[in-house]
Amino acid sequence: MRKKFIAGNWKMFTDLATAKKLTQEIVTLMAGNNKVDVAICPPFTYIQAVGEIVKGSNISLGAQNCFHEKEGAFTGEISPNMLADLGCKYVILGHSERRHKMGECDVTINKKVHAALASGLKVILCLGETLDERQANKTNDILKNQLDGSLAGVNKDNLDSLVLAYEPVWAIGTGHNATPQQAQDTHAFIRSWVSKHHGAETASKLIIQYGGSVKPDNAASLLHQADVDGGLIGGASLKADQFLGIIRAGM
Ligand code: PEP
Protein backbone atom coordinates (compact mmCIF):
# COMPACT_ATOMS: atom_id res chain seq x y z
CA MET A 1 0.00 0.00 0.00
CA ARG A 2 1.55 3.29 -1.09
CA LYS A 3 1.26 6.21 1.33
CA LYS A 4 -0.09 9.32 -0.37
CA PHE A 5 2.39 12.16 -0.85
CA ILE A 6 1.22 15.75 -1.29
CA ALA A 7 3.77 18.44 -2.15
CA GLY A 8 3.21 22.18 -2.45
CA ASN A 9 5.04 24.07 -5.19
CA TRP A 10 4.99 27.71 -4.21
CA LYS A 11 6.59 28.76 -7.53
CA MET A 12 7.78 32.42 -7.48
CA PHE A 13 5.21 33.49 -4.89
CA THR A 14 5.26 34.72 -1.28
CA ASP A 15 7.57 37.13 0.49
CA LEU A 16 9.49 36.34 3.65
CA ALA A 17 6.66 37.24 6.01
CA THR A 18 3.97 35.30 4.11
CA ALA A 19 6.28 32.31 3.62
CA LYS A 20 6.82 32.10 7.38
CA LYS A 21 3.14 32.62 8.20
CA LEU A 22 1.97 30.04 5.65
CA THR A 23 4.51 27.50 6.91
CA GLN A 24 3.48 28.01 10.52
CA GLU A 25 -0.19 27.56 9.60
CA ILE A 26 0.53 24.33 7.72
CA VAL A 27 2.69 22.96 10.57
CA THR A 28 -0.05 23.74 13.11
CA LEU A 29 -2.86 22.25 11.00
CA MET A 30 -0.81 19.12 10.27
CA ALA A 31 0.26 18.46 13.88
CA GLY A 32 -0.27 14.80 14.79
CA ASN A 33 -1.43 13.88 11.29
CA ASN A 34 0.82 11.26 9.74
CA LYS A 35 -1.63 9.61 7.36
CA VAL A 36 -0.22 11.48 4.35
CA ASP A 37 3.37 12.55 3.60
CA VAL A 38 3.61 16.29 3.01
CA ALA A 39 6.34 18.55 1.62
CA ILE A 40 6.49 22.24 0.81
CA CYS A 41 8.79 23.76 -1.82
CA PRO A 42 9.28 27.50 -1.29
CA PRO A 43 11.38 29.80 -3.46
CA PHE A 44 15.15 29.39 -2.86
CA THR A 45 15.36 32.61 -0.88
CA TYR A 46 12.93 31.42 1.80
CA ILE A 47 14.10 27.81 2.15
CA GLN A 48 16.20 28.54 5.21
CA ALA A 49 13.47 30.44 7.08
CA VAL A 50 10.84 27.85 6.18
CA GLY A 51 13.27 25.09 7.15
CA GLU A 52 13.61 26.52 10.65
CA ILE A 53 9.83 26.41 11.11
CA VAL A 54 9.32 22.86 9.78
CA LYS A 55 12.25 21.43 11.79
CA GLY A 56 10.94 18.66 14.05
CA SER A 57 7.51 18.67 12.34
CA ASN A 58 6.00 16.16 9.93
CA ILE A 59 6.44 18.56 6.98
CA SER A 60 9.38 17.97 4.65
CA LEU A 61 11.25 20.69 2.83
CA GLY A 62 11.86 20.80 -0.92
CA ALA A 63 13.23 23.09 -3.61
CA GLN A 64 11.86 23.85 -7.07
CA ASN A 65 15.01 23.35 -9.15
CA CYS A 66 18.79 22.95 -8.96
CA PHE A 67 21.86 22.95 -11.21
CA HIS A 68 23.69 19.78 -12.19
CA GLU A 69 27.13 20.65 -10.82
CA LYS A 70 28.26 20.35 -7.21
CA GLU A 71 30.06 23.70 -7.19
CA GLY A 72 32.00 25.98 -9.50
CA ALA A 73 31.90 29.15 -11.57
CA PHE A 74 28.19 29.00 -12.41
CA THR A 75 26.91 32.43 -11.50
CA GLY A 76 23.36 32.44 -10.26
CA GLU A 77 22.99 28.67 -9.99
CA ILE A 78 22.21 26.59 -6.88
CA SER A 79 23.70 23.11 -6.40
CA PRO A 80 21.92 20.07 -4.98
CA ASN A 81 24.44 19.99 -2.12
CA MET A 82 23.50 23.55 -1.15
CA LEU A 83 19.85 22.47 -0.96
CA ALA A 84 20.69 19.40 1.09
CA ASP A 85 22.79 21.62 3.36
CA LEU A 86 19.68 23.74 4.07
CA GLY A 87 17.69 20.65 5.04
CA CYS A 88 15.90 19.99 1.76
CA LYS A 89 14.76 16.42 1.30
CA TYR A 90 13.23 16.90 -2.16
CA VAL A 91 13.88 18.83 -5.34
CA ILE A 92 11.34 19.29 -8.12
CA LEU A 93 12.95 18.78 -11.54
CA GLY A 94 11.57 19.10 -15.06
CA HIS A 95 8.54 21.17 -14.07
CA SER A 96 6.61 22.20 -17.16
CA GLU A 97 7.33 25.86 -16.47
CA ARG A 98 11.05 25.04 -16.65
CA ARG A 99 10.60 22.89 -19.75
CA HIS A 100 8.40 25.36 -21.62
CA LYS A 101 9.35 28.80 -20.26
CA MET A 102 13.07 28.26 -19.52
CA GLY A 103 13.74 25.87 -22.41
CA GLU A 104 14.91 22.89 -20.33
CA CYS A 105 15.14 19.66 -22.32
CA ASP A 106 15.36 16.06 -21.16
CA VAL A 107 19.17 16.05 -21.51
CA THR A 108 19.47 18.98 -19.09
CA ILE A 109 16.90 17.48 -16.75
CA ASN A 110 18.66 14.11 -16.82
CA LYS A 111 21.95 15.74 -15.69
CA LYS A 112 20.09 17.42 -12.83
CA VAL A 113 18.38 14.16 -11.83
CA HIS A 114 21.76 12.40 -11.57
CA ALA A 115 23.31 15.27 -9.60
CA ALA A 116 20.39 15.54 -7.19
CA LEU A 117 20.32 11.79 -6.52
CA ALA A 118 24.09 11.76 -6.00
CA SER A 119 23.77 14.46 -3.34
CA GLY A 120 21.14 12.46 -1.44
CA LEU A 121 18.08 14.47 -2.48
CA LYS A 122 14.87 12.80 -3.50
CA VAL A 123 13.69 13.94 -6.93
CA ILE A 124 10.13 14.86 -7.86
CA LEU A 125 10.38 14.51 -11.63
CA CYS A 126 7.59 16.20 -13.59
CA LEU A 127 6.24 14.89 -16.88
CA GLY A 128 3.37 15.99 -19.05
CA GLU A 129 2.00 16.68 -22.48
CA THR A 130 0.66 19.88 -24.04
CA LEU A 131 -2.96 20.24 -25.16
CA ASP A 132 -1.99 19.83 -28.82
CA GLU A 133 -0.13 16.63 -28.01
CA ARG A 134 -3.10 15.21 -26.07
CA GLN A 135 -5.53 16.14 -28.84
CA ALA A 136 -3.25 14.44 -31.37
CA ASN A 137 -3.31 11.26 -29.21
CA LYS A 138 0.42 11.61 -28.55
CA THR A 139 0.29 11.67 -24.73
CA ASN A 140 1.89 8.28 -24.17
CA ASP A 141 4.59 8.88 -26.81
CA ILE A 142 5.51 12.21 -25.20
CA LEU A 143 5.62 10.68 -21.72
CA LYS A 144 7.71 7.76 -22.96
CA ASN A 145 10.23 10.20 -24.49
CA GLN A 146 10.34 12.26 -21.30
CA LEU A 147 10.84 9.14 -19.17
CA ASP A 148 13.48 7.69 -21.52
CA GLY A 149 15.35 11.01 -21.64
CA SER A 150 15.03 12.32 -18.09
CA LEU A 151 15.75 8.97 -16.47
CA ALA A 152 18.52 7.77 -18.82
CA GLY A 153 21.17 5.95 -16.79
CA VAL A 154 19.16 6.05 -13.56
CA ASN A 155 19.23 2.55 -12.14
CA LYS A 156 16.75 0.59 -10.12
CA ASP A 157 18.60 1.24 -6.83
CA ASN A 158 17.87 4.95 -7.20
CA LEU A 159 14.16 4.54 -7.77
CA ASP A 160 13.23 4.69 -4.10
CA SER A 161 14.57 8.26 -4.19
CA LEU A 162 12.33 9.12 -7.11
CA VAL A 163 8.77 10.45 -7.22
CA LEU A 164 7.11 11.03 -10.59
CA ALA A 165 4.59 13.83 -11.05
CA TYR A 166 2.24 13.62 -14.02
CA GLU A 167 1.33 17.23 -14.78
CA PRO A 168 -0.49 17.81 -18.06
CA VAL A 169 0.71 21.22 -19.25
CA TRP A 170 -2.85 22.21 -20.16
CA ALA A 171 -3.98 21.64 -16.57
CA ILE A 172 -1.32 23.63 -14.72
CA GLY A 173 -2.67 26.89 -13.36
CA THR A 174 -5.59 26.84 -15.79
CA GLY A 175 -8.45 25.62 -13.59
CA HIS A 176 -8.96 22.69 -16.01
CA ASN A 177 -7.84 19.53 -14.25
CA ALA A 178 -7.51 16.16 -15.96
CA THR A 179 -10.52 13.95 -15.34
CA PRO A 180 -9.91 11.21 -12.77
CA GLN A 181 -10.04 8.67 -15.62
CA GLN A 182 -7.50 10.58 -17.72
CA ALA A 183 -5.21 10.77 -14.68
CA GLN A 184 -5.66 7.08 -13.88
CA ASP A 185 -5.01 5.96 -17.48
CA THR A 186 -1.89 8.09 -17.77
CA HIS A 187 -0.54 7.08 -14.37
CA ALA A 188 -1.06 3.43 -15.28
CA PHE A 189 0.93 4.02 -18.49
CA ILE A 190 3.76 5.67 -16.50
CA ARG A 191 3.80 2.78 -14.01
CA SER A 192 3.94 0.29 -16.87
CA TRP A 193 7.02 2.11 -18.25
CA VAL A 194 8.69 1.81 -14.83
CA SER A 195 7.72 -1.86 -14.60
CA LYS A 196 9.16 -2.58 -18.05
CA HIS A 197 12.48 -0.88 -17.25
CA HIS A 198 12.91 -1.56 -13.54
CA GLY A 199 10.61 -4.47 -12.68
CA ALA A 200 7.11 -4.88 -11.33
CA GLU A 201 8.10 -4.67 -7.67
CA THR A 202 9.87 -1.34 -8.11
CA ALA A 203 6.93 -0.02 -10.12
CA SER A 204 4.45 -1.10 -7.47
CA LYS A 205 6.31 0.96 -4.83
CA LEU A 206 6.79 4.11 -6.91
CA ILE A 207 4.83 7.21 -5.92
CA ILE A 208 3.20 8.93 -8.91
CA GLN A 209 1.63 12.29 -8.10
CA TYR A 210 -0.93 14.11 -10.21
CA GLY A 211 -0.55 17.87 -10.67
CA GLY A 212 -2.69 20.42 -12.48
CA SER A 213 -5.44 22.56 -10.93
CA VAL A 214 -5.98 20.29 -7.93
CA LYS A 215 -8.32 22.01 -5.46
CA PRO A 216 -10.07 20.77 -2.31
CA ASP A 217 -13.28 20.09 -4.27
CA ASN A 218 -11.73 17.93 -7.02
CA ALA A 219 -8.93 16.34 -4.98
CA ALA A 220 -10.76 13.28 -3.62
CA SER A 221 -11.84 11.94 -7.00
CA LEU A 222 -8.31 12.33 -8.40
CA LEU A 223 -6.46 11.06 -5.33
CA HIS A 224 -8.60 7.95 -4.99
CA GLN A 225 -7.68 6.57 -8.41
CA ALA A 226 -5.69 3.34 -8.06
CA ASP A 227 -2.47 4.68 -9.59
CA VAL A 228 -2.66 8.24 -8.26
CA ASP A 229 -0.50 8.37 -5.14
CA GLY A 230 -0.68 12.03 -4.27
CA GLY A 231 -0.53 15.49 -5.74
CA LEU A 232 1.85 18.25 -6.71
CA ILE A 233 -0.08 21.37 -5.85
CA GLY A 234 0.63 24.87 -7.16
CA GLY A 235 -1.92 27.64 -6.56
CA ALA A 236 -3.86 25.85 -3.84
CA SER A 237 -0.69 25.24 -1.79
CA LEU A 238 -0.44 28.98 -1.13
CA LYS A 239 -3.49 28.96 1.16
CA ALA A 240 -3.12 26.75 4.24
CA ASP A 241 -6.83 25.86 4.42
CA GLN A 242 -6.94 24.83 0.73
CA PHE A 243 -3.71 22.84 1.00
CA LEU A 244 -5.03 21.06 4.09
CA GLY A 245 -8.34 20.44 2.33
CA ILE A 246 -6.42 18.60 -0.41
CA ILE A 247 -4.33 16.68 2.14
CA ARG A 248 -7.49 15.58 3.97
CA ALA A 249 -9.02 14.44 0.67
CA GLY A 250 -6.04 12.14 0.26
CA MET A 251 -6.60 10.31 3.55
C1 PEP B 1 2.27 23.08 -10.35
O1 PEP B 1 2.78 24.17 -10.27
O2 PEP B 1 2.98 22.07 -10.33
C2 PEP B 1 0.80 22.99 -10.44
C3 PEP B 1 0.25 21.81 -10.57
O3 PEP B 1 0.11 24.16 -10.39
P1 PEP B 1 -1.49 24.33 -10.16
O4 PEP B 1 -1.87 23.42 -9.01
O5 PEP B 1 -1.67 25.77 -9.82
O6 PEP B 1 -2.16 23.92 -11.43
Side-chain angles (χ1 to χ4, degrees):
M1 182 71 177
R2 295 179 294 268
K3 191 173 179 186
K4 297 265 192 275
F5 174 38
I6 311 282
N9 171 17
W10 292 4
K11 311 194 189 203
M12 202 174 73
F13 290 108
T14 69
D15 54 23
L16 182 58
T18 45
K20 285 170 144 178
K21 183 167 175 281
L22 177 57
T23 306
Q24 192 55 64
E25 286 169 353
I26 294 169
V27 167
T28 304
L29 287 167
M30 276 295 291
N33 177 351
N34 288 312
K35 288 190 187 149
V36 174
D37 288 328
V38 174
I40 50 179
C41 305
F44 287 134
T45 46
Y46 307 136
I47 287 174
Q48 187 159 17
V50 167
E52 274 158 26
I53 300 169
V54 299
K55 209 175 277 169
S57 79
N58 49 6
I59 310 294
S60 299
L61 189 61
Q64 301 171 22
N65 184 31
C66 68
F67 193 55
H68 68 267
E69 295 283 356
K70 232 177 176 174
E71 62 177 9
F74 302 106
T75 302
E77 295 294 343
I78 307 276
S79 78
N81 302 61
M82 292 170 176
L83 298 176
D85 196 23
L86 288 183
C88 285
K89 180 172 176 186
Y90 295 96
V91 61
I92 300 171
L93 294 176
H95 190 279
S96 87
E97 286 149 17
R98 299 218 55 92
R99 288 178 187 268
H100 295 281
K101 296 184 182 174
M102 314 297 167
E104 285 191 12
C105 64
D106 287 313
V107 173
T108 308
I109 295 163
N110 180 243
K111 286 186 196 164
K112 294 183 177 196
V113 168
H114 281 281
L117 292 173
S119 71
L121 292 174
K122 289 182 184 284
V123 170
I124 302 175
L125 174 67
C126 302
L127 315 158
E129 80 289 359
T130 63
L131 188 57
D132 285 351
E133 289 161 349
R134 177 159 279 272
Q135 286 172 341
N137 281 325
K138 288 189 186 153
T139 299
N140 290 355
D141 294 340
I142 297 298
L143 294 174
K144 181 187 174 303
N145 285 343
Q146 291 176 347
L147 286 161
D148 286 345
S150 303
L151 292 179
V154 173
N155 63 40
K156 194 175 159 167
D157 299 340
N158 288 134
L159 280 236
D160 52 2
S161 294
L162 183 77
V163 171
L164 296 178
Y166 168 56
E167 298 210 302
V169 179
W170 46 272
I172 298 179
T174 60
H176 303 296
N177 58 288
T179 65
Q181 193 60 52
Q182 284 173 323
Q184 168 55 29
D185 292 347
T186 313
H187 283 225
F189 171 78
I190 293 170
R191 203 177 300 285
S192 73
W193 183 95
V194 176
S195 180
K196 185 173 162 206
H197 289 80
H198 299 287
E201 200 193 332
T202 305
S204 73
K205 290 188 195 144
L206 187 82
I207 298 294
I208 308 177
Q209 299 176 318
Y210 166 79
S213 297
V214 180
K215 308 285 175 213
D217 59 355
N218 63 17
S221 56
L222 288 158
L223 295 174
H224 290 136
Q225 296 301 308
D227 284 292
V228 177
D229 309 314
L232 183 54
I233 317 300
S237 71
L238 293 164
K239 298 263 179 263
D241 58 338
Q242 290 194 23
F243 192 49
L244 262 290
I246 293 168
I247 293 166
R248 286 195 193 101
M251 288 177 188

